[in-house]
Amino acid sequence: MRPAVCFIKADSSETGSDMSDSVKFRFDVDGSNFTTAGQASVQVKKNLRELGIPAEAIRRVSIAMYEGEINMVIHAHGGVAEVEVFEDKIVIVLSDTGPGIPNIELAMKEGYSTAPDNIRSLGFGAGMGLPNMKRYTDGMKIDTELGKGTTITMVVNF
Amino acid sequence: MTVKELCESAGFSPICLPDPEREVEGGYCGDLLSWVMGRAKSGQAWVTIMSNINIAAVATLCDTSVIILSEGVMPDAGVAEAAEARGINIAATELPTYEAAVRVSQLI
């Protein structure tokens, strides 16, 4: 995967924040190579450290984002990850054009998984992805449409 | 105790130790990467039989001090190089996971 990182000064009216500006990172998550999954999360962790974000918030963002990245690779042939850093929170938006989630309630249950065996043999696909994303963030919203794709928005306060 | 000292004292074979002076603060055992990622803590020695490239990413995100591959498992091709580049320590042992963890516990 080749992460395309860019810093964007986001306008407050676009982000809905009362902050005057923010820092934004954008990554293309390559869905063709499972072994490179996680590079965006690792890069985000590094970037957040450089910004002086508290360690626990970085950890939560990294875990949630990594789970999302893995999901995008397993189920959706990749996608786009955007991380926006505000003064008191971090907003992660993961977008893909994959098959969508047929039953969100079921997908949110720990242990429920539709991942194939080859993914399980790598230590993933245990049905912990979405539950972990929810557990380690302060807010999570799933917008999904069958055959169109899924967008997951997560917020971590600090 | 540092990672280098732990490897020497426990008889773990270094695979790559780009950060040998890293302090070991406890340990964690687990092979389900999502589970480990949510629970392993910074500074812990992570004992696992998982050998694929994703362990380097998980160790980076969790900030573990060293990955200890137990049960005679060796890393897949390219893992050591990726770990080295990220500053992730990896060691290996023939010991079963439980015994490797006990040894870590006794030494640190």
Side-chain angles (χ1 to χ4, degrees), chain B residues 80-105:
Chain B
E81 292 78 3
E84 183 84 35
R86 290 176 180 174
I88 299 295
N89 297 315
I90 301 181
T93 177
E94 294 290 330
L95 291 174
T97 295
Y98 171 76
E99 290 176 30
V102 167
R103 194 162 290 190
V104 170
S105 177

Side-chain angles (χ1 to χ4, degrees), chain A residues 53-61 136 156:
Chain A
I53 305 297
E56 184 56 26
I58 294 176
R59 174 182 163 83
R60 292 165 64 209
V61 167
Y136 291 102
V156 171

Side-chain angles (χ1 to χ4, degrees), chain B residues 18-71:
Chain B
D19 190 8
E21 300 306 318
R22 179 79 192 270
E23 216 37 51
V24 179
E25 300 163 43
Y28 191 87
C29 302
D31 304 316
L32 277 178
L33 300 188
S34 289
W35 192 274
V36 173
M37 198 160 44
R39 286 160 176 83
K41 293 187 172 58
S42 176
Q44 289 181 330
W46 171 28
V47 186
T48 184
I49 58 165
M50 275 295 159
S51 58
N52 65 71
I53 188 77
N54 301 101
I55 61 174
V58 170
T60 303
L61 296 176
C62 291
D63 195 31
T64 52
S65 54
V66 56
I67 301 170
I68 299 166
L69 297 176
S70 58
E71 319 264 358

Side-chain angles (χ1 to χ4, degrees), chain A residues 10-84:
Chain A
D11 185 87
S12 59
S13 60
E14 289 173 8
T15 60
S17 164
D18 54 3
M19 289 294 299
S20 60
D21 57 27
S22 63
V23 177
K24 199 171 190 176
F25 311 109
R26 184 183 187 280
F27 301 88
D28 292 319
V29 178
D30 181 1
S32 62
N33 189 351
F34 187 78
T35 57
T36 60
Q39 285 189 9
S41 313
V42 169
Q43 187 61 47
V44 162
K45 180 176 185 178
K46 202 178 290 180
N47 292 355
L48 294 180
R49 266 187 181 164
E50 286 168 5
L51 289 172
I53 305 297
E56 184 56 26
I58 294 176
R59 174 182 163 83
R60 292 165 64 209
V61 167
S62 304
I63 290 171
M65 188 169 161
Y66 188 49
E67 293 284 14
E69 241 190 290
I70 295 293
N71 273 352
M72 283 199 282
V73 174
I74 295 174
H75 300 290
H77 309 295
V80 173
E82 288 178 310
V83 179
E84 193 163 4

